[in-house]
């Protein structure tokens, strides 16, 4: 089981590169990723036959290339993610270990066209997808994403199971979906369940039984099962990783029982997003103002929810550290309880908040304007959910390998911000 590195409130380097140098060279805010952390998480999951990266967590093509070279395959939820996978060197193809699988609850028209053109395998999350694919590509193999009737996530917004969720094929409709597939000559060769993101071992474990039951309904055509994603990572001091070996053991036993009853091998896939990339990512920002509002001290950063939306969306907690750049840089830290906010013209632009928007304080080293504040464990659903709100450019992304920083995405320019906009004559 991997251990969680002790979080330190003062930080001078990321993966061997100086935080101050990174900020000086690339500007702030900037996303920085530690390649080695991603590769370490890939190694943790090596016992699964296939690690299929849920690229929605962080889809820069340099990150996709990194995991591809480590033997990881990829999941795509849109035509755009398929294009990214191709740009990163994944080959379209079917078969036992298809490099790219399209998993979604609908086909956009562009996604359906692309899937047909490339012959990509599809994991159908709605009965209508079976018909839409069957009409265009009769005779294909498909997999089905089943909603087992229960789910769990770190927030209600990331729970993807149960009847309040729009995800997957309702478990009681499996038989009807098999008949739909039959009508188009589609073979159902796999089942997939993903009950939510950032859940826990107890809930994840319940999926094995539900999947096994559904697989026995489908029968011998099943050659692949997918455990989905959802593995949590520790964001707070005291939290730990789930026991991956124990988790694998549960799924492996499920897979073995199915293989025995079908009389042929069954491939076991896992589809993590957060687990592979969360810890690797740091959002480095500069403190641009410090102000007192009644009893609250605010550190105001040049990064806001346009860069990292998880706190405003879910009340998500991210560890934070300070990199002192001025005269206090060598001094022992003194601490203050502060509220940390961003530059946006919206009062919810606060990184220290709980679900429901309740502002809270964080004990952080006392800092001065010009010091850097690093928001940590921001690699998953950080840049991927960034926006241009307030006409802020998307920040650059930097990948550190062997202590060397590589720019993997340039900061947007004012021209990028207005690309495609037209004033009618
Ligand atoms: N597979 C499917 C079908 C999914 O929908 C997801 C995530 C994953 C895999 C990967 O889940 P993970 O291993 O990362 O938990 N924006 C939210 C998370 C949304 C997850 C959406 N689906 C957040 O920032 O927490």
């Amino acid at each position: 089981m991997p251990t969680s590195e002790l979080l330190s409130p003062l930080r001078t380097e990321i993966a061997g590169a100086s935080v101050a140098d990174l900020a000086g060279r690339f500007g702030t805010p900037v996303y920085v990723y530690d390649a080695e952390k991603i590769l370490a998480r890939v190694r943790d999951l090596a016992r699964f036959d296939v690690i299929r990266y849920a690229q929605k967590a962080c889809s820069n093509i340099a990150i996709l290339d990194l995991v591809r070279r480590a033997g990881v395959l990829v999941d795509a939820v849109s035509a755009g993610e398929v294009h990214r996978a191709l740009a990163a060197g994944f080959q379209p193809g079917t078969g036992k270990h298809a490099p790219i699988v399209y998993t979604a609850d609908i086909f956009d028209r562009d996604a359906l066209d692309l899937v047909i053109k490339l012959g990509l395998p599809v994991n159908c999350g709605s009965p209508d997808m079976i018909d839409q694919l069957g009409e265009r590509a009769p005779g294909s193999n498909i997999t089905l994403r089943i909603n087992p009737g229960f789910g769990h996530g770190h927030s209600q917004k990331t729970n993807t199971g149960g009847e309040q969720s729009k995800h997957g094929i309702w478990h009681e409709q499996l038989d009807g979906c098999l008949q739909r597939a039959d009508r188009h000559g589609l073979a159902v060769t796999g089942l997939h369940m993903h009950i939510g993101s950032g859940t826990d071992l107890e809930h994840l474990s319940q999926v094995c039984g539900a999947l096994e039951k559904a697989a026995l309904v489908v029968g011998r055509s099943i050659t692949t099962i997918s455990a989905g994603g959802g593995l949590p990572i520790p964001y707070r001091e005291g939290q730990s990783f789930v026991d991956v070996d124990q988790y694998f053991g549960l799924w492996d036993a499920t897979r073995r029982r199915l293989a025995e009853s079908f009389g042929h091998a069954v491939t076991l896939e896992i589809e993590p997003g957060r687990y592979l990339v969360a810890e690797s990512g740091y959002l480095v920002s500069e403190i641009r103002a410090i102000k007192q509002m009644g009893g609250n001290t605010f550190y105001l950063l040049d990064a806001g929810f346009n860069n990292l939306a998880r706190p405003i969306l879910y009340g998500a907690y991210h560890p934070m550290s300070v990199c002192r750049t001025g005269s206090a840089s060598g001094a022992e830290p003194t601490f203050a309880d502060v509220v940390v906010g961003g530059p946006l013209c919206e009062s919810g632009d606060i990184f220290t908040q709980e679900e429901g928007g309740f502002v809270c304080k964080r004990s952080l080293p006392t800092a001065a304007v010009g010091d850097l504040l690093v928001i940590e464990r921001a690699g998953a659903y950080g840049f991927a959910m960034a926006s241009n709100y307030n006409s802020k450019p998307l920040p650059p992304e930097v990948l550190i390998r062997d202590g060397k920083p590589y720019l993997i995405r340039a900061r947007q320019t004012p021209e990028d911000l207005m690309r495609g906009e037209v004033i009618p004559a």
Side-chain angles (χ1 to χ4, degrees):
M1 202 194 319
T3 52
S4 178
E5 161 190 295
L6 211 61
L7 302 165
S8 155
L10 278 183
R11 175 176 284 285
T12 53
E13 48 108 336
I14 295 171
S18 145
V19 176
D21 288 354
L22 289 165
R25 181 163 158 200
F26 302 105
T28 56
V30 54
Y31 268 98
V32 179
Y33 306 101
D34 174 353
E36 183 44 42
K37 285 219 167 88
I38 298 175
L39 297 175
R41 295 291 81 85
V42 170
R43 289 193 292 272
D44 298 340
L45 301 179
R47 295 179 71 194
F48 288 84
D49 300 329
V50 171
I51 306 171
R52 188 172 296 288
Y53 175 45
Q55 63 167 294
K56 71 199 88 185
C58 183
S59 56
N60 186 296
I61 57 174
I63 304 288
L64 299 185
D65 173 73
L66 179 79
V67 298
R68 182 181 61 77
R69 287 171 194 275
V72 172
L73 307 181
V74 75
D75 160 65
V77 298
S78 64
E81 286 195 354
V82 172
H83 287 299
R84 288 183 170 282
L86 297 174
F90 290 97
Q91 299 298 320
T94 50
K96 200 164 144 212
H97 295 169
I100 310 170
V101 168
Y102 178 82
T103 292
D105 295 293
I106 65 152
F107 279 121
D108 300 342
R109 288 181 187 276
D110 59 346
L112 181 56
D113 289 345
L114 193 60
V115 157
I116 301 286
K117 184 172 144 213
L118 298 173
L120 294 183
V122 174
N123 184 27
C124 300
S126 297
D128 287 309
M129 289 178 72
I130 302 173
D131 293 331
Q132 289 160 356
L133 185 76
E135 279 156 21
R136 300 272 300 271
S140 310
N141 291 342
I142 55 169
T143 61
L144 301 181
R145 174 180 180 175
I146 305 296
N147 177 333
F150 61 87
H152 187 255
H154 68 78
S155 149
Q156 189 46 34
K157 293 172 190 154
T158 67
N159 176 345
T160 58
E163 61 184 30
Q164 288 194 349
S165 166
K166 63 179 177 148
H167 293 289
I169 290 168
W170 188 247
H171 58 109
E172 290 165 334
Q173 293 170 9
L174 176 55
D175 212 40
C177 286
L178 295 177
Q179 290 172 27
R180 275 183 198 238
D182 276 351
R183 281 200 289 277
H184 300 288
L186 301 172
V188 176
T189 57
L191 288 186
H192 168 283
M193 281 185 191
H194 170 82
I195 59 155
S197 189
T199 176
D200 53 43
L201 192 56
E202 193 189 324
H203 288 90
L204 286 168
S205 308
Q206 295 168 8
V207 181
C208 299
L211 191 134
E212 185 171 345
K213 197 169 146 209
L216 291 171
V217 171
V218 181
R220 292 194 69 253
S221 62
I222 296 283
T223 55
T224 304
I225 56 171
S226 172
L231 289 178
I233 68 111
Y235 285 101
R236 292 177 191 261
E237 207 71 66
Q239 290 180 333
S240 55
F241 283 97
V242 294
D243 185 333
V244 172
D245 287 337
Q246 190 188 344
Y247 185 54
F248 171 79
L250 291 169
W251 275 106
D252 190 40
T254 304
R255 171 260 292 276
R256 282 171 195 276
R257 280 194 297 275
L258 288 174
E260 194 168 318
S261 78
F262 297 153
H264 58 68
V266 173
T267 301
L268 175 58
E269 295 204 359
I270 187 165
E271 196 176 71
R274 183 189 315 276
Y275 186 80
L276 295 189
V277 293
E279 279 167 285
S280 78
Y282 301 78
L283 174 58
V284 179
S285 67
E286 184 184 339
I287 301 175
R288 297 295 302 157
I290 297 181
K291 59 182 181 181
Q292 199 66 32
M293 310 294 274
N296 286 334
T297 305
F298 282 75
Y299 286 180
L300 295 190
L301 316 177
D302 58 7
F305 74 71
N306 54 315
N307 302 117
L308 177 66
R310 300 192 71 254
I312 192 173
L313 282 177
Y314 319 115
Y317 180 101
H318 283 268
M320 293 178 196
S321 55
V322 168
C323 174
R324 289 172 161 163
T325 55
S327 53
S329 58
E332 276 296 298
T334 52
F335 287 84
D337 289 335
V338 298
V339 178
V340 180
L344 303 178
C345 294
E346 180 154 340
S347 33
D349 187 24
I350 295 290
F351 287 115
T352 46
Q353 63 177 293
E354 289 163 3
E355 196 152 14
F358 299 104
V359 168
C360 49
K361 293 186 196 176
R362 184 80 64 90
S363 175
L364 284 175
T366 48
V369 169
D371 284 343
L372 302 169
L373 190 135
V374 184
I375 305 183
E376 310 207 349
R377 308 209 163 182
Y381 309 105
F383 186 95
M385 294 201 299
S387 76
N388 284 129
Y389 188 41
N390 278 200
S391 288
K392 296 276 189 186
L394 292 175
E397 294 181 286
V398 171
L399 179 66
I400 304 188
R401 300 187 67 164
D402 304 323
K404 280 202 219 84
Y406 297 89
L407 183 67
I408 57 170
R409 177 196 302 268
R411 187 182 303 283
Q412 281 187 323
T413 62
E415 293 71 39
D416 292 332
L417 275 180
M418 289 174 273
R419 190 175 311 281
E421 293 181 34
V422 178
I423 301 175

